[in-house]
Amino acid sequence: MDQAVNKIILEIRAGTGGDEATLFAGDLARMYQKYAAKRGWRFTILDASESGARGYKTLVAEASGSGVYEALRNESGVHRVQRVPTTERQGRIHTSTASVAILPVVEPKDLQIKESDLEFTFSRAGGPGGQNVNKVETAVRILHKPTGIVVGSREERSQHANRERAMEVLRAKLYEAQRE
C-alpha cells in the first residue's frame, strides 16, 4: 500500500518546553504547509488547538498529492530545537520538542471498524463561521473503545463532514497501530 499512498494525516503535538514548544509546533506546521504548497499538494487543517502566541498545542492536517507519503513518511518522530525563543527575556537557550506523526489515509474498505466499538460526542465548534457555529453542534469527537484512541474534527461546517474527517483520521491511526 505504501507506494501508492497520495493522502496522509499529519499530526503535530507540542512536547516539553512550555510556550516555546507550542511556538516550535507552530513553526513546524507552517513549514509543512509551505512545503506542501511548493510541491503542489493540497493541505487542509482538520483540527487545531492553538496556544497564545502563534503556536499549537496540537494540529491535525490532511495533505494530498502525488508522492506525499513517500516524501514525508520519515518525518514521523520527535523533533527537537535549541534556540533563544521570543518568549525569553534574558537571552538563554531553550530546548523544546514536538512530535510529528505521518499516517497514510486508509480507505473504508481496507479497514473495517465496528460501529459498536465507537462512542461519538458532538459539541459546538466555535471560531469563525458566523452564528451557526454557536447554535449547531457540528464538532465531532470519536472514541474507539477497544484501543482508547480519541480523534476529533471541528473545521467543517456540517456534523456529517466532520464525522467523515474524524473517521478518516481514526482509520489512519488504527492502521498504523496494527502495523506496529
Side-chain angles (χ1 to χ4, degrees):
M1 176 179 157
D2 293 348
Q3 59 273 54
V5 175
N6 290 321
K7 196 175 198 184
I8 62 157
I9 301 295
L10 166 73
E11 283 190 350
I12 301 172
R13 296 190 185 283
T16 58
D19 285 341
E20 171 57 19
T22 63
L23 292 172
F24 179 48
D27 291 346
L28 286 173
R30 285 183 290 282
M31 178 195 71
Y32 287 122
Q33 193 167 13
K34 287 178 183 179
Y35 183 68
K38 185 176 181 179
R39 298 285 300 258
W41 299 334
R42 191 166 158 255
F43 190 93
T44 308
I45 295 174
L46 303 178
D47 194 21
S49 174
E50 295 182 29
S51 72
R54 288 190 45 137
Y56 292 104
K57 294 174 187 172
T58 61
L59 175 117
V60 179
E62 178 182 84
S64 59
S66 180
V68 67
Y69 181 68
E70 189 61 33
L72 295 176
R73 72 181 191 180
N74 294 322
E75 291 290 314
S76 288
V78 177
H79 295 250
R80 181 178 81 132
V81 67
Q82 289 183 301
R83 62 184 179 187
V84 177
T86 57
T87 58
E88 175 59 49
R89 297 193 201 306
Q90 297 175 357
R92 295 178 295 204
I93 296 174
H94 287 238
T95 301
S96 301
T97 62
S99 65
V100 174
I102 305 294
L103 308 166
V105 171
V106 180
E107 296 298 320
K109 65 182 183 327
D110 295 336
L111 183 67
Q112 298 297 319
I113 302 172
K114 288 189 250 174
E115 193 76 24
S116 61
D117 289 345
L118 303 177
E119 182 179 302
F120 293 91
T121 308
F122 305 102
S123 62
R124 294 183 181 101
Q131 291 184 9
N132 186 55
V133 295
N134 297 322
K135 289 190 240 174
V136 182
E137 293 188 340
T138 57
V140 177
R141 180 182 170 273
I142 303 174
L143 166 66
H144 185 251
K145 295 175 194 173
T147 61
I149 295 174
V150 177
V151 296
S153 178
R154 60 178 162 214
E155 297 301 311
E156 301 294 331
R157 288 181 174 244
S158 75
Q159 188 180 92
H160 178 72
N162 279 324
R163 181 183 165 143
E164 289 302 314
R165 290 278 191 181
M167 285 299 294
E168 197 172 71
V169 174
L170 179 62
R171 280 192 301 275
K173 285 188 170 201
L174 289 173
Y175 177 78
E176 277 298 306
Q178 286 179 353
R179 288 179 54 187
E180 293 175 351

